[in-house]
Amino acid sequence: MASSFTNTIILGVTILVSFATTKSAADDSEAKAVLESGWWSNSHPYGNDTSQRCKWPGISCNPAGSITKIDLSDTFDVEVRDRFGKLNFSSFPNLVHLDLNHHWIGGNIPPQIGELSALKQLRLSNCDLSGELPPSLGNLTHLEVLEITGNVNINGSIPPQLGKLEKLVTLGVSQCGIVGPIPSALGQLTNLQYLSLSDNRINGSIPPEIGLLSNLVYLFLANNMLVGSIPNTLYNLTNLEMLGLGSNKLEGNLPPDIENLKNLSVLSITSNSFAGHIPLVLCHLTKLKYMYLGGNQFSGSIPSCIGSLSNLTELDLHSNLLQGSIPQEIGNLEALRSLDLSQNRLSGSIPSQIAKLRRLSNLNLTFNRLSGNVPILSSTRLRIVDITNGCYKIYPEPFEGNKDLSPCIASSNTTTSTPNNTNIALYIKIFLPIAICYTFSILCCLLFSRFKAKKNHVAIQPTKNGDICSIWNYDGKIAYEDIIAATEDFDFRYCIGVGGYGSVYRAQLPCGKVVALKKLHRLEAENPAFDNSFRNEIKFLTEIRHRNIVKLHGFCLHRRSMFLIYEYMEKGSLFYNLRDEVEAVEMDWTKRIEIIKGMAHALCYLHHDCIPPIVHRDISSNNVLLNSGFQAFLADFGTARMLELDSSNHTLLVGTRGYIAPELAYTMAVTEKCDVYSFGVVALETLMGKHPEDVLSWLSSPTSLVNTKLIDVLDSRLPLPTSQLVARNIVHVATLAFACLNQQPKSRPIMKEVCKEFLCGQKSLSVPLRMISLFQVAKQGMHMGESSETCHV
Ligand SMILES: *[C@@H]1O[C@H](CO)[C@@H](O)[C@H](O)[C@H]1NC(C)=O
Ligand SMILES: *[C@@H]1O[C@H](CO)[C@@H](O)[C@H](O)[C@H]1NC(C)=O
Ligand SMILES: *[C@@H]1O[C@H](CO)[C@@H](O)[C@H](O)[C@H]1NC(C)=O
Ligand SMILES: *[C@@H]1O[C@H](CO)[C@@H](O)[C@H](O)[C@H]1NC(C)=O
Ligand SMILES: *[C@@H]1O[C@H](CO)[C@@H](O)[C@H](O)[C@H]1NC(C)=O
Ligand SMILES: *[C@@H]1O[C@H](CO)[C@@H](O)[C@H](O)[C@H]1NC(C)=O
Ligand SMILES: *[C@@H]1O[C@H](CO)[C@@H](O)[C@H](O)[C@H]1NC(C)=O
Ligand SMILES: *[C@@H]1O[C@H](CO)[C@@H](O)[C@H](O)[C@H]1NC(C)=O
Ligand SMILES: *[C@@H]1O[C@H](CO)[C@@H](O)[C@H](O)[C@H]1NC(C)=O
Ligand SMILES: *[C@@H]1O[C@H](CO)[C@@H](O)[C@H](O)[C@H]1NC(C)=O
Ligand SMILES: *[C@@H]1O[C@H](CO)[C@@H](O)[C@H](O)[C@H]1NC(C)=O
Ligand SMILES: *[C@@H]1O[C@H](CO)[C@@H](O)[C@H](O)[C@H]1NC(C)=O
């Protein structure tokens, strides 16, 4: 009681004190300084009325009316441009927060910024600033966050005065043109948790003082010109979770001390000159998720203890001098998604245990000395294509440059002759007694009995057999024969793809209907608990009905296997059609716009009309399927969720490289906003005809966006639109795509807003299509969140 009373008094005193200091500051000088800066035009609702300054866009005040915060990151009603230095910084004694991220400024950081004596957060990322960092930044002694990332024209070196900012928690000066050394004075920043100086031209060696930053959690110095070895003191940083030193000129060994970094989850030292053996103690860093050691001179063998890193998701050892064989323990890395061992001297055969890595979606064993056969990898997420003469290959080909290795992963010969380590053979054996469901009518009766009264979903098609393929009790030998006949015993010739969670087969049922059968790779179905959740989940999925979502017709559940039966899509995936020269041309602008709209509608439905909402988690051009009329259907939703029911609620990183929202690299929280980002990528891909990786990389440097016209990135296989309406649609879709690609999840629109935008229609273009730059489109995209309010549907 007494202590809370004391607190109250202290609080009261604090308020009084701050009131006293702010009162004088809140007089005309702040208002005058705001007005004279010229940053705010008077187009906003409060015009140039300085008495209303606390309501001006981006400005927040304390109760006394003194400005505490200028945050322009979300507003475009304020244009700083070359007026940065016009602000009289000494007029804002209470300003704690200045955020100009993503505002086009150009020019230098004015040295007077050091006069903002109360400042705690300064964010100037992606502002196209140039010149040197002013040493007066060192006067901002209350600073906790300093971010100046993504200003490629900043030159000069890091001022040692930054060492005076002892309260600093975050220091981000990456993607600038910083030269010179890392000042040893930075060792004084003992509160620092996040330090990124990557993508600069920093030279010299890593100062040993870095070891004094005992609270450091993230350290990124990648893509610089650092030389020498890692100072031993760095291994004192036991809180380190991410260490990024890739693409420098660092050398030396990884010493046993690295074992101290117990919390490390990302270790990236690719493209340096590290040598020696891969230390066994690395296997004790059990939190490691990403280990990138490629492009060095590591020799010796891959330690077999690596199999104990059960959380390892990506392992990159490419371009080293590693010898010996690939340890079979690699098969224990259940979480592994990417394995790159290319360009080493690895010999022997590929361990069949690799087939156990069912999450594997990227495999590269090229340019080694491997021999023997490739084990069957059907349980992985690798795409198996190129079915010629019984030789089944993975695409892209991961085995090139091993002259003694037969690159075919299976042939009908090997399938039957060596059933041991071949999962497919195993599956076929297991499948023999399985009841197969092909009678949709009956399935539907069972599955949709709840809805029958309301809706008449599916035309009843009695089949010649008419037997019941019971869902809960797998019976139905006759049905089984039919499905065996339809797929010739799951012959590869009927396999139309190996997707995330299973191989997909095309099957024509006795009634003439063509369906896609997805055989899930999953032996966990043996687990009765899983069995139950699978049934519940399936029920849930079969209830999902939308004209832009691939219909799930039914499923089969057996003690040891599972099938999903889907509507068949004649044209295959959007990915495939964009890469096919003929189909790409047939998909004209109007069709492409409709495809994007279709996707948006499907996502709106999943996010906003389903209870509970469904996050797809793996939106990519591979998961958008097209029917014969080029209408888009979203596929594979919920599969991820369904298959991970048995694991804890902890999210596993799913998704396809190139489509994953940036925040997922740091947080594992999958939200609707991740789908929104991926939607943005696919929408741009549809307009460009190829994956928009270049454009995505430009988002952090406005210069390239300014210098590129929208028409320069549109798919050049299609003629430019002649119709004004189509041109407007293209600009509109591109604008929406950029809105969805916002790096900040909270600034992305929700799908409902995107769909609403589509319904709104668009304003006519004020300039001809060929004049519009990507920058304009991107900027307009960021406006979108605000302007959507003005559209009434
Ligand atoms: C405010 O704006 C109006 C019209 O834009 C102008 O006439 C007036 O002089 C401005 N007042 C001040 C104080 O700048
Ligand atoms: C900036 O503001 C301070 C304090 O309000 C004032 O003393 C000074 O004259 C101003 N400077 C300019 C250049 O207006
Ligand atoms: C640094 O940038 C400024 C402004 O862009 C430029 O005038 C100056 O020449 C640059 N200095 C160096 C060493 O590149
Ligand atoms: C601010 O920093 C500059 C350069 O570091 C220094 O010369 C100046 O004295 C500092 N001003 C104050 C008020 O500390
Ligand atoms: C670092 O680079 C600067 C200019 O780019 C050069 O003057 C200096 O000598 C270099 N220092 C080292 C240690 O290489
Ligand atoms: C940090 O590392 C150095 C060199 O490795 C060592 O001498 C020192 O004792 C360590 N300091 C702490 C606090 O562990
Ligand atoms: C490592 O992480 C855990 C959990 O986040 C934390 O409790 C611990 O303090 C961290 N540091 C070390 C040295 O283990
Ligand atoms: C793997 O990660 C999970 C979740 O982060 C954690 O609970 C588990 O302990 C980790 N495994 C190891 C071996 O550290
Ligand atoms: C495999 O690695 C080699 C060299 O390391 C690279 O050139 C090739 O593009 C990679 N292939 C795949 C499919 O990633
Ligand atoms: C399959 O077996 C036949 C006869 O057993 C043999 O002639 C043929 O070469 C084999 N094909 C492959 C791809 O091994
Ligand atoms: C085949 O599997 C059996 C039983 O799992 C095992 O005993 C045998 O060694 C395996 N043969 C080969 C060639 O792997
Ligand atoms: C998983 O999530 C569900 C629903 O949000 C919750 O009821 C359950 O307790 C969670 N389980 C664990 C292990 O966190």
Side-chain angles (χ1 to χ4, degrees), residues 295-353:
N296 282 292
Q297 280 139 41
F298 286 111
S299 54
S301 55
I302 302 174
S304 57
C305 68
I306 211 158
S308 61
L309 296 176
S310 57
N311 280 343
L312 202 60
T313 307
E314 300 201 1
L315 175 60
D316 175 6
L317 303 176
H318 84 271
S319 305
N320 277 295
L321 307 171
L322 297 168
Q323 310 198 350
S325 54
I326 302 174
Q328 61 183 39
E329 286 80 0
I330 250 171
N332 298 342
L333 300 175
E334 282 181 14
L336 206 62
R337 278 191 289 127
S338 174
L339 176 62
D340 188 350
L341 307 178
S342 62
Q343 309 228 35
N344 277 291
R345 297 167 180 179
L346 298 168
S347 53
S349 58
I350 301 173
S352 58
Q353 283 81 357

Side-chain angles (χ1 to χ4, degrees), residues 179-180 203-204:
V179 296
N203 60 7

Side-chain angles (χ1 to χ4, degrees), residues 14-34:
T14 317
I15 289 172
L16 277 176
V17 168
S18 70
F19 195 77
T21 58
T22 56
K23 189 148 191 182
S24 59
D27 62 18
D28 274 359
S29 68
E30 282 190 3
K32 246 177 82 189
V34 166

Side-chain angles (χ1 to χ4, degrees), residues 43 71 82 158 181 185 210 225 239 275 350 355 375 384 540 677 699 753:
S43 62
D71 178 356
D82 57 358
I158 298 171
I210 207 117
M225 290 152 36
N239 287 312
I350 301 173
I384 299 172
F540 173 69
Y677 180 90
L699 288 177
E753 288 164 347

